[in-house]
Amino acid sequence: MMIPSKKVQRCLLAVLFTTLATGAHSAAAHELRLAMQSDITGLDPHDTTDNLSYSVQSAVYERLFQFDRQMKLVPALATGYRANDNATEFVIDLRDNVRFSDGAPFNAAAAKTNLDRLADQGMGLKRNNMFSMIDHTEIINEHRIKIVLKQPFGAMINTLAHPSAVMISPQALKKYSNENDLRVHPVGTGPFIFTGWASGRSVSFVKNPNYWEKGWPRVDKVTFYPTPESATRVARLRAGEVDAVMPLDAQLTKAIGRDTHLKVVHDASVLQHYIVINNLKPALKDVRVRRALNYAMDRNIWLRAVHGNMGTVASAPMANAIPFYQAQAPYAHDPHKARELLKEAGYPDGLSLNMWIANDTSSILASQLIKQQLAAAGVRLQVVPMDSATRTGMIYNVSDPNAARYDLVLRGWSPSTGDADWALRPLFTTGAWVPKLDNESYYSNPQVDDAIQGALGSADADKRGAQYARAQQLIWKDAPVIFLGNPDNLTALSRNLDGVYMLPDTTFAFNHAHFVSDNVQQ
Amino acid sequence: MTSTTAMPTAASLSSPFQRWRRRFLRHRVALAASVILLLLVVIALLAPVLAPYNPYQSDWLAISSFPTAAHWFGTDELGRDILSRIMYGARLSLWVGLASVSLGTIGGIVLGLIAGFKGGWLDSLIMRSSDVLFAFPGMLLAIAVVALLGPGLNNVILAVAIFSVPIFARLVRAQTLTLRHSTYVDASRSVGASNTTLMFRHILPATLPSVVVYFTMRIGSSILTAAGLSFIGLGPEPDVPEWGNMLASSRSLMMAGAWHVSVFPGMAILITVLVFNLLGDALRDTLDPKAR
């Protein structure tokens, strides 16, 4: 065999290394691939209710205000605001030199179009109800608007920071006036441009070359892969098929820890886990039964077995990181007391209930534990797993509340406005019964309604605090749900990936995603 | 048609059953498989006595612990004793296997006999329907049936039974076609035996050796299918100690390095299916006169 000369050998080696190096770099540095636990439900944030979809939508869409990693309010498409004393008028300054990816300018008119769309209760969008307090929006000049409210609303700026309050291109709103078109043609000001959604397989985006924030984004493409099975998500990460996994099941942290190419990112969460109790069912109308269910649960065991002991157990109807949180006397695990309460309520032989759960790994594990714990108090549980779209449909498409078929539903709620109002009002007020908002328990206590409404009517922190304290106390006593707790948010990433994390409300951020090799280059 | 009549020898004077039993007892694999099967049946029947723990009871101080003296096979993600769960699981798996294949066999035999004996449009109808069912891979058909009926152990049994029917129908029909015109059937017919008598008293017993062989082998594969359905969440509720369920819930832990949560239920499925397959092979060897 002829051996090539040394010079030729060197050249060949150089070519080989260059190819390998650039090849590896282009694969690693320019495409971000994420595995997530389910598919998105659509791409119009105004008509979305789930955090996973909001997160994916944030590739394209931005809001006036948003939250940082500590759930602190920060400006995004707005640069600042002023409110009047009784919280009925908000003047907002808008960022200059921002364009939608279809070329339309982002200005006061565009912001007004979007706020009008959100506030118009006749639109039939899932998040209209959240903005019903807006009376109208005025254009003050090209980059300044004034939002005028019907009544005082202390949590307005937090509500504008909710992931549904995004700015959609007015041109796109005109072009795709049918909601079915708009939900698959998102056009916003965000760091990425939508390229396609293969239902159940992937959602993909490319870099927006005209993005307003200088130097970002630093990845050329982002693709999301719905992967419901948590071990499969991690397997894909370990095989290098994806760069990040959201969320990571606590049981799998060990699997990541053993791999030197991967890392676990760990953040406190405001997501409250709970079990909806259908308060309209004859047996569950009785507060003694609902309290019995709360006494039957050992929350510490739940946190340890399902969430690797990372997080906190519930001590109020909302997470302790939410402003105005107030700790309540705990429902200590006491199966004996639970049995006694059931006996008092007329169920000496216990009772049989069904519980709807999502069919993901962590819910299935939690459901087995819950079944076991309730059984110790004499409650026989039939667990019904279903995929999240079916479950949401079956819960929300019920016109007669008495026709709802569930007794219990394993759920989580994270107040994405970072405020007590959105932590309590959608779940516990009478006006929030599904499908209007998210009170799946059909819980109703006029005193709670008054307290929550009272807190909204004031911008004074002390007054709001007192009302929320009262609301939490009443809700805790009435036990309209089985309170569980707030497990930490866990994600797993390739070791060289930075800028991808979960916010306390469980939405995830990736607009500042970059691979560490980028830093070396720059 | 020719027939030969041999002089009776000492060996052939014994009954066919005795001859089969002698052959079976000489078959070492058959014996070993039978002993293990017997053991499985005993474990299944006596699970409440033999199992060291309640299969639903959690030991919260030993969540996913490796095998120890207290928990021979370790514990699962909720601290439940894996050995006890496997013992109770044997009941479910054997019951699912036996019940589903029995249902499928009965359905298949009746349809096969009718198709083979009656012929004509009835034969075409039954066999073409079987062909349609054959066109689906077994697992896919079972998934479709469970998706229609809803998850649960009884529906899994029904699903597996339905996809076993055409296999037995085809087998019995083929035999019936051959036997329909055999001398002894013709003889019975000539003395006025009814069709039902011919089908069920004369033809059916002659098809049984092949049915028994297939029956045994099918139990193994139906246990596997049932475990598969449970694994993908279409079986009984997640806390039921069904082997497929146990494997499904242990996936995450296995990845985190806890091998015992999946190895033991996996071994249980492997051994059970293997035993039924070996037994089926042995029965075929000993029942089939041509294989002698």
Side-chain angles (χ1 to χ4, degrees):
Chain A
M1 191 181 142
M2 205 177 79
I3 297 167
S5 73
K6 277 208 165 143
K7 216 174 187 177
V8 175
Q9 277 182 16
R10 273 189 210 139
C11 281
L12 281 173
L13 269 178
V15 168
L16 182 70
F17 279 122
T18 321
T19 320
L20 280 177
T22 51
H25 181 257
S26 63
H30 298 305
E31 183 177 2
L32 173 65
R33 300 153 304 171
L34 296 104
M36 50 188 194
Q37 68 182 345
S38 65
D39 199 3
I40 56 170
T41 53
L43 287 157
D44 175 8
H46 297 180
D47 194 37
T48 296
T49 55
D50 65 294
N51 278 345
L52 185 128
S53 300
Y54 287 139
S55 309
V56 174
Q57 290 158 358
S58 75
V60 169
Y61 287 125
E62 293 178 303
R63 321 160 226 175
L64 297 176
F65 299 90
Q66 63 186 29
F67 295 102
D68 68 5
R69 200 165 177 172
Q70 280 73 43
M71 209 73 193
K72 222 177 82 209
L73 198 73
V74 289
L77 287 179
T79 51
Y81 76 94
R82 273 171 291 124
N84 64 355
D85 286 344
N86 54 357
T88 51
E89 288 182 12
F90 292 81
V91 174
I92 296 169
D93 293 316
L94 306 176
R95 195 173 290 281
D96 204 354
N97 291 326
V98 176
R99 282 189 174 275
F100 291 98
S101 61
D102 61 2
F106 170 71
N107 52 22
K112 178 179 160 52
T113 306
N114 279 283
L115 290 168
D116 287 351
R117 186 173 191 256
L118 283 165
D120 181 354
Q121 300 302 307
M123 285 297 293
L125 302 171
K126 291 196 185 84
R127 278 295 171 237
N128 280 145
N129 196 279
M130 202 175 171
F131 298 89
S132 60
M133 72 302 244
I134 298 181
D135 184 68
H136 66 276
T137 303
E138 295 166 13
I139 298 174
I140 294 178
N141 64 35
E142 177 74 4
H143 295 292
R144 180 171 290 174
I145 54 168
K146 181 157 97 178
I147 302 175
V148 181
L149 307 186
K150 292 174 190 159
Q151 70 262 1
F153 190 77
M156 189 62 214
I157 296 298
N158 282 67
T159 304
L160 288 175
H162 186 270
S164 65
V166 301
M167 297 294 128
I168 303 175
S169 158
Q171 277 183 20
L173 282 173
K174 244 185 232 142
K175 190 170 166 192
Y176 308 112
S177 54
N178 186 335
E179 181 56 31
N180 285 336
D181 293 331
L182 187 73
R183 68 188 283 277
V184 289
H185 292 99
V187 183
T189 57
F192 298 96
I193 299 172
F194 174 69
T195 51
W197 174 20
S199 184
R201 290 214 313 275
S202 65
V203 197
S204 39
F205 303 89
V206 293
K207 178 180 178 166
N208 177 358
N210 305 315
Y211 186 55
W212 56 269
E213 197 179 352
K214 289 286 161 263
W216 299 100
R218 275 155 69 178
V219 288
D220 293 329
K221 268 177 87 179
V222 183
T223 310
F224 297 90
Y225 297 98
T227 315
E229 216 284 302
S230 55
T232 312
R233 283 201 292 279
V234 169
R236 295 185 81 167
L237 181 67
R238 290 174 78 173
E241 278 180 33
V242 295
D243 310 300
V245 158
M246 316 217 153
L248 171 71
D249 272 11
Q251 284 187 338
L252 288 162
T253 42
K254 262 194 215 154
I256 301 294
R258 285 146 49 111
D259 196 322
T260 51
H261 298 99
L262 308 175
K263 61 184 172 191
V264 175
V265 182
H266 199 280
D267 288 288
S269 172
V270 297
L271 171 73
Q272 176 108 340
H273 287 240
Y274 59 93
I275 303 166
V276 169
I277 303 176
N278 186 342
N279 285 228
L280 295 180
K281 294 275 172 172
L284 304 172
K285 261 187 190 136
D286 192 324
V287 68
R288 288 170 296 190
V289 174
R290 301 199 301 267
R291 281 191 199 140
L293 296 176
N294 270 286
Y295 281 116
M297 271 304 297
D298 187 336
R299 291 162 185 77
N300 290 310
I301 295 269
W302 164 80
L303 192 66
R304 193 162 76 209
V306 186
H307 299 283
N309 223 5
M310 290 176 275
T312 52
V313 296
S315 50
M318 61 187 193
N320 59 13
I322 302 287
F324 307 122
Y325 151 87
Q326 193 154 72
Q328 309 293 320
Y331 280 105
H333 177 226
D334 191 344
H336 179 71
K337 190 167 182 175
R339 273 183 186 277
E340 287 298 308
L341 280 168
L342 286 178
K343 207 162 132 190
E344 252 178 58
Y347 301 96
D349 303 321
L351 67 164
S352 297
L353 301 173
N354 67 40
M355 178 169 77
W356 292 5
I357 63 161
N359 59 358
D360 58 69
T361 323
S362 147
S363 302
I364 289 171
L365 177 63
S367 74
Q368 296 184 56
L369 182 137
I370 294 162
K371 184 173 178 176
Q372 215 181 78
Q373 303 232 313
L374 295 189
V379 177
R380 295 166 296 277
L381 204 60
Q382 191 215 347
V383 177
V384 188
M386 43 180 112
D387 69 280
S388 46
T390 312
R391 190 174 65 143
T392 311
M394 285 176 75
I395 294 174
Y396 284 78
N397 296 338
V398 168
S399 46
D400 173 16
N402 287 305
R405 298 208 326 253
Y406 55 86
D407 298 321
L408 306 176
V409 186
L410 180 60
R411 280 289 258 140
W413 178 259
S414 91
S416 294
T417 62
D419 189 82
D421 174 57
W422 201 244
L424 300 176
R425 187 163 54 92
L427 301 188
F428 302 115
T429 55
T430 314
W433 282 17
V434 283
K436 220 165 176 191
L437 278 170
D438 309 273
N439 185 350
E440 296 169 9
S441 311
Y442 296 111
Y443 166 63
S444 174
N445 180 343
Q447 287 175 294
V448 171
D449 295 350
D450 285 349
I452 292 174
Q453 214 51 52
L456 270 184
S458 167
D460 182 84
D462 288 343
K463 279 186 195 155
R464 293 186 72 199
Q467 298 280 25
Y468 284 130
R470 186 171 149 67
Q472 289 176 72
Q473 205 181 357
L474 289 166
I475 296 167
W476 191 258
K477 242 174 70 194
D478 284 346
V481 302
I482 306 176
F483 305 101
L484 294 175
N486 320 96
D488 285 351
N489 289 333
L490 296 174
T491 52
L493 313 178
S494 300
R495 191 159 279 282
N496 65 342
L497 177 62
D498 266 332
V500 177
Y501 54 87
M502 265 168 114
L503 291 162
D505 71 345
T506 74
T507 56
F508 40 88
F510 52 90
N511 52 339
H512 284 185
H514 60 283
F515 290 91
V516 179
S517 50
D518 284 10
N519 291 341
V520 177
Q521 268 193 333
Q522 286 175 2
Chain B
M1 196 187 277
T2 58
S3 65
T4 52
T5 320
M7 286 296 286
T9 61
S12 62
L13 275 176
S14 49
S15 76
F17 177 74
Q18 282 170 329
R19 267 174 281 150
W20 167 78
R21 197 182 59 185
R22 260 202 304 279
R23 281 200 300 276
F24 193 79
L25 290 176
R26 277 201 299 268
H27 201 294
R28 268 187 238 152
V29 178
L31 265 185
S34 309
V35 170
I36 299 174
L37 179 60
L38 193 70
L39 207 67
L40 279 170
V41 172
V42 169
I43 289 174
L45 290 177
L46 298 181
V49 182
L50 295 174
Y53 297 90
N54 175 342
Y56 293 95
Q57 198 63 50
S58 294
D59 178 354
W60 298 116
L61 297 175
I63 292 177
S64 57
S65 89
F66 283 98
T68 58
H71 299 282
W72 289 5
F73 286 6
T75 61
D76 68 3
E77 69 282 3
L78 287 175
R80 296 171 297 202
D81 184 58
I82 292 180
L83 176 61
S84 308
R85 288 178 72 76
I86 287 180
M87 286 178 160
Y88 275 87
R91 292 183 143 196
L92 292 176
S93 287
L94 291 181
W95 165 244
V96 169
L98 206 66
S100 61
V101 181
S102 302
L103 280 178
T105 310
I106 293 169
I109 286 178
V110 172
L111 289 174
L113 275 177
I114 294 173
F117 197 80
K118 298 271 184 193
W121 66 269
L122 210 53
D123 181 25
S124 300
L125 180 73
I126 293 170
M127 292 330 287
R128 292 304 78 77
S129 311
S130 298
D131 287 344
V132 170
L133 289 181
F134 266 123
F136 291 101
M139 189 66 184
L140 205 61
L141 190 65
I143 291 174
V145 173
V146 174
L148 274 176
L149 301 175
L153 201 63
N154 289 337
N155 292 345
V156 166
I157 291 177
L158 205 59
V160 177
I162 288 176
F163 90 74
S164 300
V165 167
I167 299 166
F168 287 100
R170 186 180 272 192
L171 185 76
V172 172
R173 174 184 175 266
Q175 300 248 334
T176 310
L177 282 179
T178 339
L179 294 167
R180 187 165 63 157
H181 297 298
S182 59
T183 320
Y184 77 94
V185 174
D186 281 343
S188 296
R189 191 181 283 123
S190 64
V191 296
S194 71
N195 280 350
T196 322
T197 313
L198 288 177
M199 275 158 69
F200 289 97
R201 283 210 41 201
H202 298 300
I203 298 178
L204 176 63
T207 65
L208 283 184
S210 335
V211 169
V212 166
V213 170
Y214 232 87
F215 179 85
T216 319
M217 288 187 160
R218 291 297 311 168
I219 290 181
S221 48
S222 70
I223 288 175
L224 205 58
T225 311
L229 286 174
S230 303
F231 185 78
I232 57 174
L234 294 174
E237 275 192 45
D239 62 328
V240 174
E242 206 276 338
W243 294 341
N245 260 352
M246 293 173 71
L247 274 185
S249 60
S250 65
R251 270 174 299 179
S252 306
L253 278 181
M254 183 178 67
M255 195 169 264
W259 54 271
H260 62 284
V261 287
S262 41
V263 165
F264 291 116
M267 288 297 286
I269 297 177
L270 179 108
I271 291 171
T272 311
V273 174
L274 189 67
V275 159
F276 278 107
N277 283 353
L278 290 177
L279 204 61
D281 276 346
L283 282 173
R284 191 191 53 213
D285 291 349
T286 50
L287 280 171
D288 184 357
K290 279 173 263 165
R292 248 181 288 160

